[in-house]
Amino acid sequence: MAIIITDECINCGACEPECPNNAIYEGAEEWKYAEGTSLEGDFVLPNGNTGNADEDQEPISDEVYYIVPDKCTEC
């Protein structure tokens, strides 16, 4: 499971450019699996879910920065 951004977050955005996997996004921002990865086209995740790397995904949070668990390697 990916590390979550806690309530102590002041929403400054300093974490976003530091993430080597492009797994951190600003609240309400759509994201893609392809961003910061070598994924292209259709794929299957280890949990069996399928998707397309270039499709926009719904934001996980509308208010604060969030981590996309499927892109996080807990570095």
Side-chain angles (χ1 to χ4, degrees):
M1 175 177 225
I3 297 171
I4 62 170
I5 297 176
T6 67
D7 292 338
E8 296 174 7
C9 173
I10 61 171
N11 221 23
C12 69
C15 59
E16 185 179 20
E18 297 298 320
C19 179
N21 301 311
N22 285 33
I24 301 174
Y25 292 87
E26 185 174 357
E29 181 180 331
E30 292 182 340
W31 59 278
K32 296 178 183 180
Y33 282 100
E35 294 171 338
T37 71
S38 59
L39 284 175
E40 295 178 348
D42 295 330
F43 63 89
V44 178
L45 292 170
N47 64 10
N49 291 342
T50 61
N52 185 293
D54 298 311
E55 287 181 1
D56 286 333
Q57 304 294 317
E58 291 292 320
I60 295 173
S61 172
D62 289 333
E63 298 175 13
V64 296
Y65 281 81
Y66 61 89
I67 299 172
V68 175
D70 289 336
K71 292 178 74 175
C72 180
T73 59
E74 297 185 38
C75 62

